Amino acid sequence: MARHGGADLRIEPSSAGAMLVLRSDGGSVGSVSGGCVEEDLAERARQGRLPRARVERVDYGVSVQEAQRFGLPCGGLLRLVVEPVPQDASWPRELLAALCERRRMCRRLELSSLTVSLRPAARGEVMRFDDETLETIHGPARRLLLIGAGQISSYLAQMAQALDYEVFVCDPREEVRAQWPVPGSVLLPHMPDDAVLALQPDEDTAVVALTHDPKLDDLALLEALKSPAFYVGALGSHRTNAARRQRLAEFDLTEEEIARLHGPVGLPIGSRTPPEIAVSILAHLIAAQRGTVSGSAPCFYAQGEIR
């Protein structure tokens, strides 16, 4: 990573979730505006107009003219906190190590002194900013465990990787695994219940059963529904999933745990083909993680096309 006056430049916004790491040559990772102001920030870095030893606030869109210039909505305001990161800063490695251990962390920055501290973060904590301190919440990478290495899974795996999911695919059938086409995913030969237990799903993990074989799908669901996974879904029609819920009720699952099952899986977008079904499932994952949906959502394909 290139250095700028002995420091990297790390820019954090006053809105949760947006972050940009910027080098002195204008190279960057991340985004704070979806492309509206990144080039201006890169030009400031190349010209040495970003701070090296202090925190600085940068506002975009203060005036209508400026909002229009940077492509922001008329009257909109984007407020950034620009923080130089010294070469010898230890917190980036400490934070990365915690995230690799799947620990959710809060990073606290004291703006006046550039002092950074880390602590465990509770689920549901959000970013805080009071002009003196900035607290940002950092969680581990999202994971997606797919049960079944079929065609829908292959499309879903590729799309999920584009959204930075770590993808795991479980299929005990050797002949099916041999045809798996998605590089970068982890192929598991275990039985589905063993795969769920080995992965230990947390609140940043989704489990989707796609074999359409109850002997395999139900094994995964029995363990996944007892876990903190933020999403557990299963392919099939309303009738198929009603029968599945009856089977699950015969085991050690509570009514509340069974009610967590998204089945039919996916959002009702009229999907029919495997890639369209994958789109509907991934859209439902996004909605579930953003907290905009709850419970099962019926899918057109599940009602009439797949039984």
Side-chain angles (χ1 to χ4, degrees), residues 131-163:
D131 289 325
E132 296 180 0
T133 61
L134 173 65
E135 290 188 348
T136 51
I137 309 302
H138 305 267
R142 290 171 294 182
R143 300 183 297 179
L144 174 60
L145 173 60
L146 300 175
I147 308 302
Q151 194 175 26
I152 296 175
S153 292
S154 67
Y155 284 109
L156 183 53
Q158 294 173 69
M159 296 176 189
Q161 286 178 335
L163 293 182

Side-chain angles (χ1 to χ4, degrees), residues 9 19 21 24 30 45 130 145 160 162 183 193-194 223 243-244 274 291 299 301:
L9 292 174
M19 184 178 296
V21 179
S24 58
D130 61 7
L145 173 60
D193 52 343
D194 292 333
E223 298 301 337
R244 173 178 287 118
C299 296
Y301 76 85

